[in-house]
Amino acid sequence: MNRIEHYDNYRDFLSDWFEDRKARFQFFSNRYFCQKAGIKSPSLFSEVVKGSRNLTDKTIPLFIKGLGLTDSDAAFFTVLVHLNQAQDPKERDVYTTELKKFRDKVHKEVIPAEHYEYYSRWYNPVLRELACLIKWNEDYRFLASCVNPTLKESQARESVMMLLRLGFIEKDGQGNYRQSTPVITSGNHVHASGVRSLNKAFAEMASEAVEKHSPDKRYISSMTIGISQNAYKQIEQEFEEFKDRIRRIVNDDKDSDRVYNVNLHLFPLSDNPGEKNT
């Protein structure tokens, strides 16, 4: 679905947001949203979308919580609600002016799984970010030295050439590199061997980071939990929504100066006894 800045009516945004979540997660419902948001009435979401009820200063923060909006999106949503519900023309003008301050910033491109070449080396996504963040003046040895762990000069050169050829990065008129698309993703549930290899490599590097980096430079945490298949699906949805918020934060960040990797893991540590007996 579109970013929230594309909407002129917050009820349309809520409707599209709900349909998007429902299509991705079958268990999603009005009741589930209201429970997550801390709203007592399970029908409030649908009533607001239909226009039979308005949002208030009390319920706007609850909807923001349920929607999982970033700070910038929450600010836009709040202004849009006030604009749509304002009756006074002067008040509408004020909120219209506020909305103009927001700009469309995000475009996420799904990279086809057949681009095995991109996924085949863990440092390709790293260099896609790093080559556009630092001034390296075509010095591939320097660029390679900035990667952690350090690459060979030939590896950096080969990777940048591939990124240029596939259109993942481009050069501007001053010879600086920039990303053709701010955010890329393999999409959900891609099972290409290249993606699996990439995920495996980053998982191994995350394990090494426990000892390699001080706690102020890395965040690594784990939980061991007992859950049902239904709870697994809900946690999976939370991961997807968290990733969406991370993408928004990254694209709104204008002061990037380093490259990080984010790993999310949820995997079984036991078997279902019932399945063993079938």
Side-chain angles (χ1 to χ4, degrees):
M1 61 175 292
N2 290 325
R3 275 193 66 141
I4 190 171
E5 287 94 338
H6 286 277
Y7 290 87
D8 297 319
N9 189 297
Y10 80 90
R11 300 183 203 273
D12 291 339
F13 167 74
L14 292 177
S15 178
D16 287 354
W17 182 90
F18 181 86
E19 292 303 321
D20 174 74
R21 295 307 187 273
K22 187 67 177 176
R24 291 161 59 185
F25 310 101
Q26 293 183 354
F27 65 85
F28 195 83
S29 64
N30 288 321
R31 183 179 296 274
Y32 178 84
F33 171 84
C34 290
Q35 289 176 343
K36 182 178 178 181
I39 298 171
K40 295 182 179 179
S41 171
S43 62
L44 179 61
F45 186 92
S46 59
E47 291 173 347
V48 170
V49 171
K50 293 175 182 177
S52 57
R53 293 185 64 177
N54 283 338
L55 288 179
T56 65
D57 290 339
K58 181 179 179 180
T59 55
I60 288 175
L62 298 180
F63 266 64
I64 289 172
K65 177 183 177 182
L67 294 166
L69 300 180
T70 63
D71 289 345
S72 60
D73 287 350
F76 184 92
F77 180 78
T78 301
V79 174
L80 186 60
V81 170
H82 288 313
L83 171 62
N84 293 158
Q85 296 180 172
Q87 300 297 320
D88 184 354
K90 292 184 178 179
E91 188 178 5
R92 290 182 60 84
D93 289 342
V94 171
Y95 290 126
T96 298
T97 300
E98 287 191 43
L99 281 187
K100 290 180 180 179
K101 299 177 183 178
F102 295 89
R103 295 293 183 268
D104 184 19
K105 303 169 184 175
V106 164
H107 174 62
K108 178 180 66 178
E109 180 176 337
V110 177
I111 301 302
E114 56 265 25
H115 281 327
Y116 177 83
E117 196 174 1
Y118 177 78
Y119 297 113
S120 63
R121 299 288 185 272
W122 64 265
Y123 50 80
N124 288 335
V126 177
L127 287 174
R128 178 182 177 273
E129 299 290 335
L130 190 61
C132 301
L133 283 181
I134 64 174
K135 296 289 186 181
W136 54 284
N137 300 319
E138 303 296 322
D139 185 345
Y140 287 94
R141 180 176 297 181
F142 174 72
L143 180 64
S145 70
C146 292
V147 179
N148 190 350
T150 301
L151 300 177
K152 296 179 180 178
E153 179 181 352
S154 60
Q155 291 175 315
R157 183 185 301 274
E158 179 184 3
S159 179
V160 170
M161 292 300 103
M162 180 272 296
L163 293 170
L164 286 168
R165 174 165 48 82
L166 295 181
F168 293 159
I169 61 175
E170 57 192 17
K171 267 180 140 181
D172 62 21
Q174 287 72 46
N176 299 315
Y177 289 87
R178 63 187 181 190
Q179 296 174 351
S180 53
T181 303
V183 178
I184 63 174
T185 176
S186 62
N188 296 332
H189 311 302
V190 174
H191 300 288
S193 59
V195 178
R196 289 198 297 269
S197 297
L198 197 65
N199 289 337
K200 182 179 178 181
F202 282 133
E204 292 173 350
M205 293 170 72
S207 177
E208 296 170 358
V210 175
E211 300 296 336
K212 187 175 183 180
H213 300 288
S214 59
D216 64 315
K217 292 185 178 180
R218 50 88 175 158
Y219 178 88
I220 298 176
S221 179
S222 65
M223 300 172 63
T224 303
I225 52 179
I227 57 174
S228 64
Q229 184 62 22
N230 181 59
Y232 171 85
K233 291 296 184 182
Q234 294 185 41
I235 294 172
E236 182 182 38
Q237 177 194 341
E238 292 295 324
F239 276 9
E240 290 300 318
E241 294 185 1
F242 171 69
K243 285 162 60 180
D244 285 342
R245 290 194 294 275
I246 289 293
R247 293 184 189 108
R248 300 296 295 271
I249 292 171
V250 168
N251 280 276
D252 290 341
D253 181 18
K254 301 304 180 185
D255 301 311
S256 303
D257 60 359
R258 67 200 68 189
V259 180
Y260 266 74
N261 179 253
V262 179
N263 292 312
L264 299 174
H265 303 290
L266 179 64
F267 55 90
L269 293 173
S270 70
D271 295 321
N272 185 331
E275 293 178 351
K276 280 182 172 289
N277 296 328
T278 57

